[in-house]
Amino acid sequence: MKYLVMLCDGMADEPNLTLDNKTPMELANKPCMDSLAAKAEVGMVKTVADGMSPGSDVANLAVLGYDAKKYYSGRSPLEAASIGIDLKDTDVTFRCNLVTLSDEENYEDKTILDYCADDISTEEARVLIEYVQENMGTDEFAFYAGVSYRHCLVWANGNSKPGKLTPPHDITGKPIKEYLPTDVAKDVLLPLMERSYNLLKDHPVNLARIERGKRPANSIWLWGEGTKPLLDSFMHLYNLKGSMVSAVDLLKGIAICAQMSSVDVDGATGYIDTNFEGKAKAAMAEFDRGQDLVYIHVEAPDECGHRAEYENKVRSIELIDEKVLAPMVEYFKAKGEDFSILVCPDHPTPLITRTHSREAVPYLIYRSNCDAQGVEKFTEANASETGVYVAEGYTLMSRFIG
């Protein structure tokens, strides 16, 4: 048996008047997903445990079969693992976004215009982060470049509970005054954020971006603190050789910490312009070399949700169906081997709120060797109406591999 997890980040949503009171899953033309759902176990799964924030870190750990209450040590250390940072036990890490702030004179009076600086390219971002490190890096604070707007700060011998830090995608379009770091972070991290604005606002990379009509990446934004992660290996837990196909450091880092193979795909961006076909081909190559389970993570629906891009969120689901899931099904059929497919989001990212929510998400488990009584169309409502509910998200993996 071969196992494929098709993780559609942030795909679940709420009925929206802009979409004729439908959700993107209801509106999307996704014939492959729906045909699987007709012969699959379909239900709802709670991927975010009580008391935990509804992030892709916690939720993807759950889908992969890890109890976040046992294993979770923060988001940024998982990303640090992907970047290749050798963390010490006393290090504290932070996600370091490159964001676009408005130009009021006082930092606290600014508004966050864009949490990802127009999805800045990795090449441009690397220049900016290296400039920040050159001018602000010390033995205590070190900045590391990641992918696009997603980077990392390591605080040596830092405070693992620095105070309240707010994800920038939660406050897009809002004045930042009420969301600035508090407590220890106010004294230690906020000055770094303020100093970064003065460094970056007139940097040649940003001046060139403005000239091209792009938003400047004129400040860092620190959040998502954590300490060195300690995950049991996926093989040890499930006796399966696993691979991860993803564009983002978070999922790559989870894979590395779980001792899974992490596969890079040329042109994988984490947005709707990603190399969908390349992800499918990479997954096929992993199966061809003997892997038992491949986890394909596609970030695009989540990013479209954060940006309130209604048509793009619908289209991203259609592209996953057409260019990733359908080719994978045909690949398995051509091989003539039994296969199982799990399709689900990690969490909802409703277009109306533009941020993650903690509600349960729909899932389907299709097995080629067993027809189940499924649903006509894979949607939030249809999944809910089956009455199947997995209360502990991390148990879904055991349910999947049976």
Side-chain angles (χ1 to χ4, degrees):
M1 178 72 74
K2 296 295 185 180
Y3 300 93
L4 172 69
V5 179
M6 184 70 255
L7 196 290
C8 311
D9 201 304
M11 177 171 68
D13 212 304
E14 303 168 0
N16 195 296
L17 290 176
T18 303
L19 300 177
D20 296 327
N21 209 33
K22 296 181 179 179
T23 70
M25 286 182 69
E26 291 173 334
L27 199 58
N29 178 31
K30 51 186 197 322
C32 184
M33 220 174 283
D34 292 339
S35 67
L36 295 179
K39 298 179 179 180
E41 173 190 315
V42 179
M44 301 293 289
V45 56
K46 182 180 178 181
T47 56
V48 180
D50 291 339
M52 307 200 79
S53 298
S56 291
D57 43 13
V58 168
N60 276 280
L61 281 172
V63 177
L64 263 172
Y66 291 88
D67 181 355
K69 288 189 173 181
K70 176 181 178 181
Y71 290 103
Y72 184 65
S73 67
R75 177 190 184 108
S76 56
L78 296 168
E79 297 175 323
S82 174
I83 293 172
I85 304 170
D86 185 15
L87 293 177
K88 298 180 177 64
D89 292 341
T90 55
D91 287 338
V92 179
T93 60
F94 300 84
R95 161 69 84 84
C96 178
N97 273 50
L98 284 173
V99 302
T100 305
L101 299 181
S102 58
D103 59 2
E104 287 79 6
E105 183 175 353
N106 295 323
Y107 194 85
E108 66 177 18
D109 294 330
K110 299 180 185 299
T111 293
I112 185 161
L113 302 178
D114 193 342
Y115 70 93
C116 64
D118 265 346
D119 206 31
I120 186 170
S121 72
T122 298
E123 294 73 23
E124 291 172 303
R126 180 173 295 278
V127 173
L128 295 180
I129 290 298
E130 289 178 351
Y131 184 66
V132 168
Q133 169 64 15
E134 180 183 340
N135 286 273
M136 294 170 50
T138 63
D139 290 341
E140 185 176 14
F141 296 105
F143 297 86
Y144 296 86
V147 176
S148 184
Y149 61 89
R150 313 171 188 93
H151 310 282
C152 190
L153 167 67
V154 177
W155 180 7
N157 300 307
N159 189 320
S160 62
K161 296 182 179 179
K164 185 177 180 181
L165 298 170
T166 302
H169 53 257
D170 283 357
I171 55 172
T172 300
K174 297 181 179 181
I176 65 175
K177 188 171 186 177
E178 296 181 14
Y179 305 100
L180 293 173
T182 63
D183 303 330
V184 173
K186 180 179 180 180
D187 297 326
V188 179
L189 302 180
L190 179 56
L192 298 178
M193 293 163 60
E194 293 174 335
R195 188 178 172 195
S196 76
Y197 179 83
N198 294 325
L199 277 174
L200 294 177
K201 64 183 178 68
D202 295 322
H203 190 281
V205 166
N206 280 324
L207 296 180
R209 287 180 62 78
I210 293 170
E211 185 72 20
R212 301 196 312 273
K214 296 285 189 179
R215 287 176 170 145
N218 57 18
S219 182
I220 63 170
W221 189 276
L222 302 172
W223 62 287
E225 69 277 6
T227 54
K228 186 176 181 178
L230 295 171
L231 297 185
D232 288 327
S233 78
F234 188 79
M235 169 62 85
H236 173 74
L237 291 179
Y238 297 105
N239 198 32
L240 295 173
K241 293 177 288 183
S243 295
M244 174 69 69
V245 179
S246 177
V248 298
D249 282 332
L250 172 62
L251 273 295
K252 291 174 180 289
I254 290 175
I256 291 168
C257 292
Q259 298 177 43
M260 300 171 69
S261 295
S262 178
V263 184
D264 294 325
V265 176
D266 289 341
T269 65
Y271 186 51
I272 197 170
D273 63 353
T274 196
N275 183 0
F276 292 96
E277 296 95 336
K279 289 193 172 186
K281 290 177 181 177
M284 294 173 194
E286 289 301 289
F287 283 121
D288 285 343
R289 75 178 186 89
Q291 297 298 88
D292 302 307
L293 179 146
V294 178
Y295 192 104
I296 304 179
H297 170 265
V298 180
E299 178 85 353
D302 182 64
E303 291 288 351
C304 295
H306 286 310
R307 303 178 194 203
E309 295 178 355
Y310 291 77
E311 293 182 2
N312 277 348
K313 184 163 186 183
V314 174
R315 183 59 181 149
S316 69
I317 298 169
E318 294 175 340
L319 289 168
I320 291 170
D321 191 79
E322 174 190 352
K323 297 182 179 295
V324 185
L325 188 58
M328 291 305 305
V329 171
E330 291 304 312
Y331 165 83
F332 286 131
K333 289 180 177 178
K335 287 288 185 180
E337 299 176 341
D338 289 334
F339 63 95
S340 294
I341 298 178
L342 165 63
V343 181
C344 67
D346 49 353
H347 52 68
T349 307
L351 288 157
I352 193 67
T353 61
R354 301 180 64 174
T355 190
H356 303 162
S357 65
R358 61 185 317 107
E359 288 80 11
V361 295
Y363 76 90
L364 72 81
I365 294 176
Y366 173 85
R367 305 184 196 284
S368 64
N369 60 357
C370 179
D371 282 352
Q373 183 61 47
V375 297
E376 182 178 357
K377 189 176 177 69
F378 186 47
T379 67
E380 299 90 344
N382 285 348
S384 181
E385 288 173 2
T386 67
V388 179
Y389 181 71
V390 180
E392 300 285 352
Y394 70 91
T395 66
L396 185 65
M397 180 58 69
S398 294
R399 191 182 186 106
F400 173 47
I401 64 179

